[in-house]
């Protein structure tokens, strides 16, 4: 078991975050690699140069989590895209839960079978799924700048909605990719979700440098989007970080 854990390709570890799991003091593990190339992505190194980032030994993560037992409420696994290697992800989750810590998984929703397995085995406590654009192939491919199996994204949405576990969907509101009508369409498509989060776009360290020139929507527009989304959803939040 330990051998398997140490092979897990952890590409970053942040000891403490107060903003990545609402209401929790969490640690974050970053996985390398992603099958999408969203121009607005801030995880340039993780996505484009996974091999160039030295792996963080799991032992050091484990030591920290043991040392801070009772103080850290849970661990967020994010990326890149953590679901690309199911076996490794399951090994990592088992190791974290072995320390009696709950796990939140961030995902782009491209691997529905992995989500299905994790939910069936009761392995995750919270899933946050990105919704990059309305659920149609053309809009989605444009948003993620990569080929997309839209049926997989839709299947992941349905799996998360039906999971019975805590979850949220979230959209980075990038001008030119989503507007208020797209947000309304997304909100309609995820009716029944526990939470929908509108994330402000920050033009900094983007994978595609041309996104640095995009002016984010003003706060008033985000508020209007939240109001429109609230017609379909009970809990809509705006995040500015
Ligand atoms: S923002 Fe897009 S490119 Fe970046 S990690 Fe998420 S899915 Fe991958």
């Amino acid at each position: 078991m330990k051998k398997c854990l140490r092979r897990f390709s952890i590409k970053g570890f942040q000891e403490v975050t107060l903003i990545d799991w609402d209401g929790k003091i969490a640690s974050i593990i970053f996985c390398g690699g992603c099958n999408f190339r969203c121009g607005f992505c801030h995880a340039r190194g993780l996505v484009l140069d996974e091999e160039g980032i030295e792996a963080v030994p799991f032992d050091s993560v484990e030591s920290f989590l043991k040392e801070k037992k009772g103080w850290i409420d849970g661990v967020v696994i994010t990326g890149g895209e953590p679901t690309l290697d199911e076996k490794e992800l399951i090994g990592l989750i088992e190791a974290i839960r072995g320390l009696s810590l709950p796990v939140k998984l961030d995902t782009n929703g491209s691997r529905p079978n992995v989500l299905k397995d994790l939910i069936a085995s009761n392995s995750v406590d919270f899933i946050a799924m990105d919704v990059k654009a309305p659920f149609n192939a053309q809009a989605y491919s444009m948003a993620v700048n990569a080929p997309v199996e839209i049926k997989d994204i839709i299947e992941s949405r349905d799996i998360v909605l039906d999971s019975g576990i805590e979850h949220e969907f979230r959209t980075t509101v990038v001008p030119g990719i989503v507007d208020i009508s797209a947000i309304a369409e997304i909100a309609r498509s995820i009716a029944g979700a526990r939470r929908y989060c509108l994330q402000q776009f920050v033009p900094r360290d983007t994978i595609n440098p041309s996104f640095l020139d995009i002016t984010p929507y003003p706060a008033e527009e985000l508020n209007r989007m939240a109001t429109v989304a609230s017609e379909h959803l009970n809990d809509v939040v705006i995040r500015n970080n």
Side-chain angles (χ1 to χ4, degrees):
M1 172 69 87
K2 246 180 173 179
K3 198 173 165 210
C4 171
L5 301 179
R6 304 259 152 76
R7 275 210 316 266
F8 195 88
S9 185
I10 296 172
K11 293 295 186 174
F13 179 61
Q14 185 178 326
E15 293 181 346
V16 178
T17 173
L18 303 177
I19 59 173
D20 290 273
W21 193 345
D22 285 351
K24 289 197 188 302
I25 300 169
S27 296
I28 310 187
I29 288 172
F30 296 90
C31 302
C34 188
N35 48 342
F36 292 166
R37 291 291 182 273
C38 312
F40 53 87
C41 177
H42 296 307
R44 168 185 280 275
L46 289 170
V47 173
L48 299 181
D49 187 24
E50 181 192 0
E51 298 303 322
I53 301 175
E54 201 175 329
V56 178
F58 181 77
D59 295 17
S60 65
V61 173
E62 186 180 40
S63 297
F64 174 81
L65 294 175
K66 279 183 173 169
E67 191 187 319
K68 301 297 178 191
K69 201 171 174 64
W71 191 69
I72 295 290
D73 298 322
V75 176
V76 178
I77 301 180
T78 192
E81 177 49 39
T83 62
L84 296 185
D85 189 333
E86 179 172 12
K87 199 171 155 206
E88 297 291 314
L89 178 59
I90 288 172
L92 181 64
I93 290 174
E94 281 176 359
I96 294 165
R97 291 186 123 210
L99 300 170
S100 303
L101 284 166
V103 170
K104 170 179 178 260
L105 176 70
D106 292 347
T107 180
N108 64 21
S110 61
R111 294 287 186 272
N113 289 340
V114 177
L115 297 182
K116 207 184 287 177
D117 291 347
L118 293 174
I119 290 164
S121 57
N122 197 25
S123 295
V124 284
D125 302 273
F126 194 113
I127 295 175
M129 178 178 152
D130 293 340
V131 180
K132 309 289 189 184
F135 293 86
N136 70 71
Q138 194 181 356
Y140 229 90
S141 304
M142 193 272 281
V144 306
N145 190 32
V148 179
E149 290 289 346
I150 195 66
K151 67 173 177 30
D152 289 343
I153 306 289
I154 291 170
E155 188 179 350
S156 291
R157 173 200 65 188
D158 294 344
I159 288 167
V160 173
L161 281 173
D162 294 342
S163 66
I165 68 169
E166 290 298 308
H167 64 263
E168 71 178 26
F169 295 89
R170 55 201 194 175
T171 299
T172 302
V173 284
V174 186
I177 293 184
V178 287
D179 57 14
I180 194 164
S181 64
I183 295 298
E185 192 177 336
I186 292 168
R188 257 195 315 274
S189 305
I190 57 169
R194 300 223 179 157
R195 173 171 289 177
Y196 182 40
C197 174
L198 301 173
Q199 298 181 147
Q200 177 60 294
F201 163 63
V202 180
R204 169 177 41 80
D205 300 329
T206 52
I207 280 186
N208 182 341
S210 72
F211 278 64
L212 298 172
D213 298 327
I214 296 176
T215 303
Y217 285 116
E220 303 76 45
E221 185 64 8
L222 260 69
N223 288 334
R224 276 194 287 274
M225 290 174 173
T227 302
V228 163
S230 298
E231 290 172 17
H232 307 281
L233 297 158
N234 289 332
D235 188 4
V236 179
V237 298
I238 295 171
R239 284 198 195 119
N240 289 299
N241 43 55

